[in-house]
């Protein structure tokens, strides 16, 4: 008899597992009608409007946008003014915005001529160039042609708004320190690109001020754009607001040429000052070499209340050169 105990014991195999039937395929989610019909054209228009705004501001070197731009830039402007009486005047302005190494563009060294020059409107800049005085467009502003050295820091980005802080001092003696904050936000509504900004400024020799600005840009077609700007500046040295309302029509026939026709109205919230100013300006700007050398001609007519609203004609010829990493050729 065989010894069954000596026979190898066979391992019991677990019963085969039954595969679960696959889950039924779910039908793809159908987007709501709003996502299909409203979002695509809205996104397209938003990108298009922002592209127009960025293109115009970069081409015209708008003072506000240049001040808020990223990267390092050196801007040299030289212009000659011709007046109807035959008088001419020339001037050179230098402005530098240098990003410090290893700060990811969050810390900049700023060199500027006139503290309010970096955040003024293009129309205010044109009037100052034509008259030599910032007080024409902003009666409460001081005559400030000094150079300043400052350190600007991008403090935060919150709820779509950008906040920056800057502190510095005037070149020369006696030292004149200043502190400036700036907050702005860009957004798109329908076919309008909108920027809202607030710029408080404190300077030891002049006290405090605050500039509030609303800018609206709307492309009309591929070549024409409309911009409306409202600005109010309060200063502790006066008891009123300096007010500005500007309407501008932009025409860009090609990538190297652009024209602007502007109508401006300036005054104060205190009508007893009798310092209203109206302006009509045509600006033609041409990119004459690559993307860093520009020629600009600006005929302008001013109507000042202090001169009985007699028309004052001027013509400005300007050459501008820009330097920085973004202007290097590959």
């Amino acid at each position: 008899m065989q010894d069954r105990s000596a026979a190898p014991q066979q391992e019991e195999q677990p019963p085969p597992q039954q595969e679960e039937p696959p889950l039924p395929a779910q039908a793809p989610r159908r987007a709501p009608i709003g996502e299909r019909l409203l979002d695509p054209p809205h996104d397209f228009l938003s990108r298009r409007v922002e592209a127009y705004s960025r293109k115009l501001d970069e081409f015209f070197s708008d003072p506000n946008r240049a001040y808020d731009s990223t990267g390092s830039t050196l801007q040299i402007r030289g212009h000659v003014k011709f007046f109807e009486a035959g008088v001419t005047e020339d001037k050179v302005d230098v402005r530098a915005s240098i990003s410090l190494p290893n700060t990811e563009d969050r810390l900049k060294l700023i060199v500027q001529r006139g503290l309010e020059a970096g955040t003024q409107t293009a129309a205010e800049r044109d009037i100052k160039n034509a008259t030599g005085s910032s007080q024409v467009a902003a009666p409460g502003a001081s005559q400030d042609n000094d150079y300043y050295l400052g350190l600007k820091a991008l403090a935060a980005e919150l709820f779509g708004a950008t906040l920056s802080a800057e502190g510095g001092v005037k070149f020369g003696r006696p030292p004149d320190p200043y502190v400036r904050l700036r907050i702005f936000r860009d957004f798109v509504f329908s076919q309008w690109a909108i920027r809202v900004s607030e710029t408080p400024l404190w300077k030891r020799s002049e006290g405090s001020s605050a500039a509030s600005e609303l800018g609206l840009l709307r492309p009309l077609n591929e070549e024409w754009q409309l911009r409306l700007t409202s600005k109010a500046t309060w200063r502790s040295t006066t008891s009123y607001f300096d007010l500005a309302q500007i309407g501008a029509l932009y025409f860009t026939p090609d990538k190297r040429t652009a024209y602007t026709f502007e109508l401006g109205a300036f005054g104060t919230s205190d009508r007893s000052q009798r310092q209203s100013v109206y302006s009509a300006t045509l600006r033609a700007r041409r990119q004459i070499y690559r993307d860093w050398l520009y020629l600009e001609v600006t005929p302008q007519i001013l109507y000042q209340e202090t001169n009985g609203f007699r028309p004052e004609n001027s013509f400005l010829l300007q050459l501008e050169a820009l330097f920085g990493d973004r202007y290097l050729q590959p």
Side-chain angles (χ1 to χ4, degrees):
M1 295 181 60
Q2 296 181 352
D3 187 358
R4 294 182 179 180
S5 61
Q9 296 182 354
Q10 295 183 356
E11 296 181 357
E12 295 183 358
Q13 299 294 331
Q17 296 182 353
Q18 296 182 353
E19 296 183 359
E20 297 181 358
L23 297 175
Q26 295 182 352
R29 173 183 174 271
R30 184 173 178 80
I33 187 171
E35 293 183 11
R36 289 183 284 113
L37 300 181
L38 299 181
D39 287 349
H42 173 269
D43 294 344
F44 171 76
L45 287 175
S46 296
R47 286 191 295 268
R48 183 180 178 187
V49 169
E50 287 186 349
Y52 273 128
S53 177
R54 192 180 308 110
K55 174 184 175 182
L56 285 177
D57 292 330
E58 289 179 353
F59 191 91
F60 280 98
S61 190
D62 182 84
N64 267 301
R65 303 294 175 124
Y67 180 79
D68 297 324
S69 65
T70 59
S72 297
T73 304
L74 172 64
Q75 180 186 67
I76 301 177
R77 290 173 175 263
H79 69 248
V80 179
K81 296 177 293 186
F82 303 89
F83 301 94
E84 57 183 337
V87 181
T88 62
E89 183 179 338
D90 57 84
K91 182 180 178 182
V92 175
D93 277 328
V94 177
R95 185 181 184 279
S97 175
I98 304 170
S99 294
L100 298 183
N102 303 320
T103 64
E104 298 182 354
D105 206 39
R106 289 185 172 272
L107 198 61
K108 287 186 176 184
L109 194 64
I110 303 290
V111 178
Q112 56 197 321
R113 186 173 190 174
L115 278 183
E116 295 190 18
T119 54
Q120 65 187 356
T121 65
E124 290 172 326
R125 181 188 64 193
D126 290 338
I127 292 178
K128 182 178 180 181
N129 288 338
T131 63
S133 172
S134 59
Q135 294 178 333
V136 175
S142 63
Q143 291 283 19
D144 188 2
N145 289 313
D146 296 313
Y147 278 98
Y148 294 81
L149 176 66
L151 192 62
K152 177 184 173 184
L154 178 63
E157 293 187 13
L158 186 63
F159 301 115
T162 301
L163 173 66
S164 63
E166 178 188 346
V169 67
K170 181 184 73 174
F171 283 105
R173 296 181 179 179
D176 194 3
Y178 74 91
V179 176
R180 171 163 47 197
L181 300 178
R182 180 166 172 81
I183 183 169
F184 67 88
R185 181 177 180 181
D186 296 318
F187 55 95
V188 175
F189 176 76
S190 183
Q191 296 188 38
W192 292 90
I194 303 172
R195 168 168 284 200
V196 180
S197 67
E198 185 70 28
T199 310
L201 170 66
W202 175 84
K203 186 179 175 184
R204 188 178 69 176
S205 62
E206 298 175 9
S208 57
S209 66
S212 306
E213 185 173 332
L214 172 65
L216 301 95
L217 175 73
R218 179 189 175 107
L220 305 178
N221 55 35
E222 295 293 336
E223 297 179 341
W224 293 89
Q225 296 86 36
L226 173 67
R227 170 169 285 173
L228 304 175
T229 304
S230 299
K231 186 176 181 181
T233 304
W234 174 87
R235 294 181 175 86
S236 60
T237 54
T238 64
S239 57
Y240 53 77
F241 285 88
D242 289 334
L243 305 174
Q245 185 67 52
I246 303 141
L249 194 61
Y250 292 81
F251 175 57
T252 52
D254 56 63
K255 294 182 179 180
R256 300 176 64 87
T257 310
Y259 304 90
T260 307
F261 177 67
E262 286 181 348
L263 294 176
F266 308 88
T268 71
S269 57
D270 183 0
R271 283 298 302 140
S272 64
Q273 297 291 322
R274 302 184 63 82
Q275 292 180 317
S276 298
V277 179
Y278 301 94
S279 66
T281 306
L282 175 63
R283 186 187 302 111
R285 186 170 171 89
R286 173 74 176 177
Q287 191 179 81
I288 59 175
Y289 185 74
R290 299 193 183 275
D291 62 346
W292 58 267
L293 189 60
Y294 294 84
L295 179 66
E296 186 172 308
V297 294
T298 310
Q300 184 176 62
I301 306 175
L302 288 183
Y303 302 88
Q304 301 187 55
E305 187 173 10
T306 55
N307 293 337
F309 295 112
R310 179 180 59 86
E312 304 169 56
N313 303 317
S314 65
F315 182 86
L316 183 142
L317 180 64
Q318 178 174 268
L319 190 66
E320 178 180 323
L322 301 170
F323 302 87
D325 291 342
R326 74 185 75 180
Y327 305 108
L328 294 174
Q329 299 305 312

